[in-house]
Amino acid sequence: MIKVTIVDDHVIFAEGLESIFSDANDIQILARCHNAEAFWTVMDSNNIDVVLLDISLPDVSGLNL
């Protein structure tokens, strides 16, 4: 199982990505985060394989995460 976290401040876009992956049997969306603070909380408590990361977050550049 591939564990994925989506980090994007655009809710509709993040929901769309989650919807695309929802039919995949080998992909699990662990979390959807809308800012860097939420992402760090998720990172601390989960074993994530893939992060789909927006590089233009409201509180920090995704490039700095």
Side-chain angles (χ1 to χ4, degrees), residues 7 33-44 57 59-60 65:
V7 185
C33 305
H34 301 296
N35 58 46
E37 183 179 341
F39 170 66
W40 286 120
T41 301
V42 170
M43 276 295 290
D44 288 340
L57 294 170
D59 52 347
V60 68
L65 291 177

Side-chain angles (χ1 to χ4, degrees), residues 11-51:
V11 176
I12 293 173
F13 182 76
E15 287 175 351
L17 283 175
E18 186 171 0
S19 176
I20 290 169
F21 292 114
S22 67
D23 292 334
N25 295 329
D26 57 346
I27 297 175
Q28 175 187 10
I29 302 296
L30 290 178
R32 218 175 0 151
C33 305
H34 301 296
N35 58 46
E37 183 179 341
F39 170 66
W40 286 120
T41 301
V42 170
M43 276 295 290
D44 288 340
S45 61
N46 289 288
N47 186 14
I48 300 169
D49 297 315
V50 175
V51 176

